[in-house]
mmCIF file of all heavy atoms in Angstrom:
data_model
loop_
_atom_site.group_PDB
_atom_site.id
_atom_site.type_symbol
_atom_site.label_atom_id
_atom_site.label_comp_id
_atom_site.label_asym_id
_atom_site.label_seq_id
_atom_site.Cartn_x
_atom_site.Cartn_y
_atom_site.Cartn_z
ATOM 1 N N THR A 1 -8.377 1.854 10.235
ATOM 2 C CA THR A 1 -7.797 0.717 9.510
ATOM 3 C C THR A 1 -6.295 0.854 9.341
ATOM 4 O O THR A 1 -5.788 1.936 9.047
ATOM 5 C CB THR A 1 -8.436 0.579 8.113
ATOM 6 O OG1 THR A 1 -9.834 0.321 8.249
ATOM 7 C CG2 THR A 1 -7.800 -0.542 7.297
ATOM 8 N N THR A 2 -5.609 -0.266 9.505
ATOM 9 C CA THR A 2 -4.230 -0.405 9.048
ATOM 10 C C THR A 2 -4.246 -1.284 7.808
ATOM 11 O O THR A 2 -4.688 -2.440 7.858
ATOM 12 C CB THR A 2 -3.339 -1.055 10.123
ATOM 13 O OG1 THR A 2 -3.351 -0.252 11.307
ATOM 14 C CG2 THR A 2 -1.911 -1.216 9.623
ATOM 15 N N VAL A 3 -3.801 -0.725 6.702
ATOM 16 C CA VAL A 3 -3.696 -1.502 5.463
ATOM 17 C C VAL A 3 -2.326 -2.171 5.445
ATOM 18 O O VAL A 3 -1.300 -1.490 5.497
ATOM 19 C CB VAL A 3 -3.873 -0.615 4.220
ATOM 20 C CG1 VAL A 3 -3.774 -1.457 2.952
ATOM 21 C CG2 VAL A 3 -5.200 0.126 4.260
ATOM 22 N N VAL A 4 -2.331 -3.498 5.389
ATOM 23 C CA VAL A 4 -1.083 -4.250 5.389
ATOM 24 C C VAL A 4 -0.795 -4.739 3.976
ATOM 25 O O VAL A 4 -1.613 -5.422 3.358
ATOM 26 C CB VAL A 4 -1.150 -5.449 6.353
ATOM 27 C CG1 VAL A 4 0.146 -6.258 6.287
ATOM 28 C CG2 VAL A 4 -1.399 -4.963 7.778
ATOM 29 N N VAL A 5 0.371 -4.374 3.474
ATOM 30 C CA VAL A 5 0.833 -4.783 2.152
ATOM 31 C C VAL A 5 2.069 -5.645 2.341
ATOM 32 O O VAL A 5 3.052 -5.205 2.942
ATOM 33 C CB VAL A 5 1.172 -3.564 1.271
ATOM 34 C CG1 VAL A 5 1.697 -4.018 -0.098
ATOM 35 C CG2 VAL A 5 -0.039 -2.657 1.110
ATOM 36 N N VAL A 6 2.005 -6.870 1.862
ATOM 37 C CA VAL A 6 3.159 -7.771 1.931
ATOM 38 C C VAL A 6 3.869 -7.739 0.593
ATOM 39 O O VAL A 6 3.238 -7.847 -0.467
ATOM 40 C CB VAL A 6 2.713 -9.210 2.258
ATOM 41 C CG1 VAL A 6 3.903 -10.171 2.170
ATOM 42 C CG2 VAL A 6 2.084 -9.266 3.641
ATOM 43 N N THR A 7 5.196 -7.592 0.638
ATOM 44 C CA THR A 7 5.953 -7.543 -0.617
ATOM 45 C C THR A 7 7.182 -8.417 -0.526
ATOM 46 O O THR A 7 7.758 -8.615 0.551
ATOM 47 C CB THR A 7 6.341 -6.085 -0.961
ATOM 48 O OG1 THR A 7 6.829 -6.030 -2.301
ATOM 49 C CG2 THR A 7 7.393 -5.546 -0.001
ATOM 50 N N TRP A 8 7.565 -8.941 -1.666
ATOM 51 C CA TRP A 8 8.812 -9.670 -1.829
ATOM 52 C C TRP A 8 9.307 -9.408 -3.245
ATOM 53 O O TRP A 8 8.650 -9.768 -4.229
ATOM 54 C CB TRP A 8 8.616 -11.170 -1.614
ATOM 55 C CG TRP A 8 9.875 -11.967 -1.848
ATOM 56 C CD1 TRP A 8 10.995 -11.970 -1.064
ATOM 57 C CD2 TRP A 8 10.139 -12.863 -2.939
ATOM 58 N NE1 TRP A 8 11.951 -12.809 -1.588
ATOM 59 C CE2 TRP A 8 11.449 -13.377 -2.739
ATOM 60 C CE3 TRP A 8 9.408 -13.286 -4.034
ATOM 61 C CZ2 TRP A 8 12.028 -14.288 -3.625
ATOM 62 C CZ3 TRP A 8 9.991 -14.185 -4.917
ATOM 63 C CH2 TRP A 8 11.282 -14.687 -4.715
ATOM 64 N N ARG A 9 10.408 -8.706 -3.334
ATOM 65 C CA ARG A 9 10.952 -8.324 -4.639
ATOM 66 C C ARG A 9 9.867 -7.626 -5.486
ATOM 67 O O ARG A 9 9.677 -7.949 -6.661
ATOM 68 C CB ARG A 9 11.509 -9.538 -5.377
ATOM 69 C CG ARG A 9 12.674 -10.197 -4.647
ATOM 70 C CD ARG A 9 13.184 -11.420 -5.370
ATOM 71 N NE ARG A 9 14.308 -12.022 -4.658
ATOM 72 C CZ ARG A 9 14.857 -13.194 -4.991
ATOM 73 N NH1 ARG A 9 14.399 -13.867 -6.032
ATOM 74 N NH2 ARG A 9 15.864 -13.678 -4.293
ATOM 75 N N GLY A 10 9.204 -6.670 -4.854
ATOM 76 C CA GLY A 10 8.088 -5.997 -5.510
ATOM 77 C C GLY A 10 8.426 -4.649 -6.095
ATOM 78 O O GLY A 10 7.515 -3.862 -6.384
ATOM 79 N N ALA A 11 9.698 -4.334 -6.284
ATOM 80 C CA ALA A 11 10.086 -3.000 -6.727
ATOM 81 C C ALA A 11 9.451 -2.612 -8.056
ATOM 82 O O ALA A 11 9.213 -1.434 -8.318
ATOM 83 C CB ALA A 11 11.611 -2.903 -6.830
ATOM 84 N N GLY A 12 9.120 -3.607 -8.884
ATOM 85 C CA GLY A 12 8.566 -3.301 -10.192
ATOM 86 C C GLY A 12 7.108 -2.887 -10.192
ATOM 87 O O GLY A 12 6.634 -2.317 -11.178
ATOM 88 N N HIS A 13 6.397 -3.160 -9.102
ATOM 89 C CA HIS A 13 4.970 -2.835 -9.071
ATOM 90 C C HIS A 13 4.499 -2.213 -7.759
ATOM 91 O O HIS A 13 3.368 -1.752 -7.669
ATOM 92 C CB HIS A 13 4.131 -4.097 -9.347
ATOM 93 C CG HIS A 13 4.544 -5.281 -8.512
ATOM 94 N ND1 HIS A 13 5.381 -6.268 -8.979
ATOM 95 C CD2 HIS A 13 4.245 -5.628 -7.241
ATOM 96 C CE1 HIS A 13 5.579 -7.177 -8.041
ATOM 97 N NE2 HIS A 13 4.902 -6.802 -6.969
ATOM 98 N N LEU A 14 5.335 -2.177 -6.761
ATOM 99 C CA LEU A 14 4.920 -1.698 -5.443
ATOM 100 C C LEU A 14 4.557 -0.213 -5.437
ATOM 101 O O LEU A 14 3.642 0.211 -4.720
ATOM 102 C CB LEU A 14 6.018 -1.986 -4.417
ATOM 103 C CG LEU A 14 5.759 -1.593 -2.970
ATOM 104 C CD1 LEU A 14 4.501 -2.259 -2.424
ATOM 105 C CD2 LEU A 14 6.961 -1.972 -2.105
ATOM 106 N N THR A 15 5.241 0.595 -6.241
ATOM 107 C CA THR A 15 4.968 2.028 -6.257
ATOM 108 C C THR A 15 3.518 2.307 -6.652
ATOM 109 O O THR A 15 2.859 3.174 -6.059
ATOM 110 C CB THR A 15 5.927 2.752 -7.220
ATOM 111 O OG1 THR A 15 7.266 2.625 -6.723
ATOM 112 C CG2 THR A 15 5.580 4.237 -7.315
ATOM 113 N N ALA A 16 3.002 1.590 -7.640
ATOM 114 C CA ALA A 16 1.617 1.791 -8.078
ATOM 115 C C ALA A 16 0.642 1.476 -6.948
ATOM 116 O O ALA A 16 -0.371 2.170 -6.770
ATOM 117 C CB ALA A 16 1.318 0.933 -9.301
ATOM 118 N N CYS A 17 0.937 0.449 -6.163
ATOM 119 C CA CYS A 17 0.087 0.101 -5.020
ATOM 120 C C CYS A 17 0.112 1.211 -3.975
ATOM 121 O O CYS A 17 -0.937 1.643 -3.479
ATOM 122 C CB CYS A 17 0.571 -1.217 -4.417
ATOM 123 S SG CYS A 17 -0.303 -1.724 -2.914
ATOM 124 N N LEU A 18 1.296 1.695 -3.639
ATOM 125 C CA LEU A 18 1.413 2.742 -2.625
ATOM 126 C C LEU A 18 0.775 4.048 -3.101
ATOM 127 O O LEU A 18 0.159 4.771 -2.306
ATOM 128 C CB LEU A 18 2.885 2.963 -2.279
ATOM 129 C CG LEU A 18 3.594 1.796 -1.590
ATOM 130 C CD1 LEU A 18 5.061 2.122 -1.375
ATOM 131 C CD2 LEU A 18 2.918 1.443 -0.266
ATOM 132 N N ASP A 19 0.927 4.352 -4.390
ATOM 133 C CA ASP A 19 0.285 5.555 -4.931
ATOM 134 C C ASP A 19 -1.238 5.462 -4.792
ATOM 135 O O ASP A 19 -1.907 6.445 -4.442
ATOM 136 C CB ASP A 19 0.650 5.743 -6.400
ATOM 137 C CG ASP A 19 2.100 6.162 -6.601
ATOM 138 O OD1 ASP A 19 2.759 6.546 -5.608
ATOM 139 O OD2 ASP A 19 2.569 6.097 -7.756
ATOM 140 N N ALA A 20 -1.784 4.281 -5.076
ATOM 141 C CA ALA A 20 -3.233 4.091 -4.969
ATOM 142 C C ALA A 20 -3.701 4.192 -3.518
ATOM 143 O O ALA A 20 -4.783 4.728 -3.236
ATOM 144 C CB ALA A 20 -3.630 2.744 -5.565
ATOM 145 N N LEU A 21 -2.899 3.710 -2.598
ATOM 146 C CA LEU A 21 -3.256 3.846 -1.180
ATOM 147 C C LEU A 21 -3.192 5.311 -0.749
ATOM 148 O O LEU A 21 -4.034 5.774 0.032
ATOM 149 C CB LEU A 21 -2.330 2.995 -0.314
ATOM 150 C CG LEU A 21 -2.622 1.497 -0.303
ATOM 151 C CD1 LEU A 21 -1.582 0.750 0.520
ATOM 152 C CD2 LEU A 21 -4.026 1.222 0.249
ATOM 153 N N ALA A 22 -2.201 6.035 -1.236
ATOM 154 C CA ALA A 22 -2.083 7.454 -0.890
ATOM 155 C C ALA A 22 -3.273 8.252 -1.413
ATOM 156 O O ALA A 22 -3.603 9.320 -0.865
ATOM 157 C CB ALA A 22 -0.789 8.024 -1.450
ATOM 158 N N ALA A 23 -3.945 7.746 -2.450
ATOM 159 C CA ALA A 23 -5.083 8.448 -3.044
ATOM 160 C C ALA A 23 -6.422 8.050 -2.412
ATOM 161 O O ALA A 23 -7.470 8.544 -2.855
ATOM 162 C CB ALA A 23 -5.129 8.165 -4.547
ATOM 163 N N GLN A 24 -6.399 7.205 -1.393
ATOM 164 C CA GLN A 24 -7.650 6.809 -0.749
ATOM 165 C C GLN A 24 -8.342 8.010 -0.101
ATOM 166 O O GLN A 24 -7.675 8.895 0.449
ATOM 167 C CB GLN A 24 -7.388 5.741 0.316
ATOM 168 C CG GLN A 24 -6.921 4.408 -0.233
ATOM 169 C CD GLN A 24 -7.957 3.744 -1.106
ATOM 170 O OE1 GLN A 24 -9.062 3.428 -0.661
ATOM 171 N NE2 GLN A 24 -7.604 3.538 -2.373
ATOM 172 N N ASN A 25 -9.667 8.016 -0.143
ATOM 173 C CA ASN A 25 -10.414 9.132 0.444
ATOM 174 C C ASN A 25 -10.827 8.874 1.890
ATOM 175 O O ASN A 25 -11.641 9.616 2.436
ATOM 176 C CB ASN A 25 -11.637 9.486 -0.413
ATOM 177 C CG ASN A 25 -12.605 8.319 -0.568
ATOM 178 O OD1 ASN A 25 -12.590 7.368 0.215
ATOM 179 N ND2 ASN A 25 -13.444 8.389 -1.597
ATOM 180 N N ARG A 26 -10.267 7.848 2.500
ATOM 181 C CA ARG A 26 -10.518 7.552 3.917
ATOM 182 C C ARG A 26 -9.171 7.441 4.615
ATOM 183 O O ARG A 26 -8.297 6.708 4.162
ATOM 184 C CB ARG A 26 -11.308 6.247 4.040
ATOM 185 C CG ARG A 26 -11.725 5.850 5.459
ATOM 186 C CD ARG A 26 -12.754 6.794 6.084
ATOM 187 N NE ARG A 26 -13.994 6.924 5.332
ATOM 188 C CZ ARG A 26 -15.058 6.106 5.446
ATOM 189 N NH1 ARG A 26 -15.014 5.065 6.282
ATOM 190 N NH2 ARG A 26 -16.164 6.349 4.760
ATOM 191 N N PRO A 27 -8.961 8.175 5.722
ATOM 192 C CA PRO A 27 -7.677 8.084 6.429
ATOM 193 C C PRO A 27 -7.384 6.657 6.886
ATOM 194 O O PRO A 27 -8.291 5.892 7.236
ATOM 195 C CB PRO A 27 -7.865 9.018 7.629
ATOM 196 C CG PRO A 27 -8.988 9.925 7.252
ATOM 197 C CD PRO A 27 -9.898 9.116 6.373
ATOM 198 N N HIS A 28 -6.123 6.303 6.883
ATOM 199 C CA HIS A 28 -5.716 4.954 7.271
ATOM 200 C C HIS A 28 -4.223 4.964 7.573
ATOM 201 O O HIS A 28 -3.520 5.933 7.279
ATOM 202 C CB HIS A 28 -6.004 3.957 6.145
ATOM 203 C CG HIS A 28 -5.232 4.242 4.895
ATOM 204 N ND1 HIS A 28 -5.606 5.202 3.992
ATOM 205 C CD2 HIS A 28 -4.061 3.711 4.412
ATOM 206 C CE1 HIS A 28 -4.739 5.253 3.005
ATOM 207 N NE2 HIS A 28 -3.788 4.379 3.238
ATOM 208 N N ARG A 29 -3.757 3.895 8.162
ATOM 209 C CA ARG A 29 -2.332 3.654 8.313
ATOM 210 C C ARG A 29 -1.912 2.606 7.293
ATOM 211 O O ARG A 29 -2.689 1.711 6.958
ATOM 212 C CB ARG A 29 -2.015 3.153 9.731
ATOM 213 C CG ARG A 29 -2.393 4.134 10.833
ATOM 214 C CD ARG A 29 -2.206 3.519 12.199
ATOM 215 N NE ARG A 29 -2.651 4.426 13.256
ATOM 216 C CZ ARG A 29 -2.777 4.079 14.536
ATOM 217 N NH1 ARG A 29 -2.482 2.844 14.927
ATOM 218 N NH2 ARG A 29 -3.183 4.974 15.430
ATOM 219 N N THR A 30 -0.692 2.726 6.816
ATOM 220 C CA THR A 30 -0.163 1.744 5.875
ATOM 221 C C THR A 30 1.063 1.088 6.488
ATOM 222 O O THR A 30 1.981 1.770 6.950
ATOM 223 C CB THR A 30 0.227 2.395 4.538
ATOM 224 O OG1 THR A 30 -0.933 2.977 3.932
ATOM 225 C CG2 THR A 30 0.807 1.360 3.585
#
């Protein structure tokens, strides 16, 4: 899987999303 995250002026909340993706227990591309 490639997980696609679309952002626009997301600096206030994007880190939490990326942290949660980094904690996934299945390998993937982001």
Side-chain angles (χ1 to χ4, degrees):
T1 298
T2 300
V3 181
V4 177
V5 178
V6 174
T7 192
W8 177 70
R9 298 178 179 172
H13 49 262
L14 182 57
T15 295
C17 176
L18 294 177
D19 289 347
L21 283 176
Q24 293 296 299
N25 59 20
R26 184 67 58 86
H28 63 280
R29 299 173 184 170
T30 298

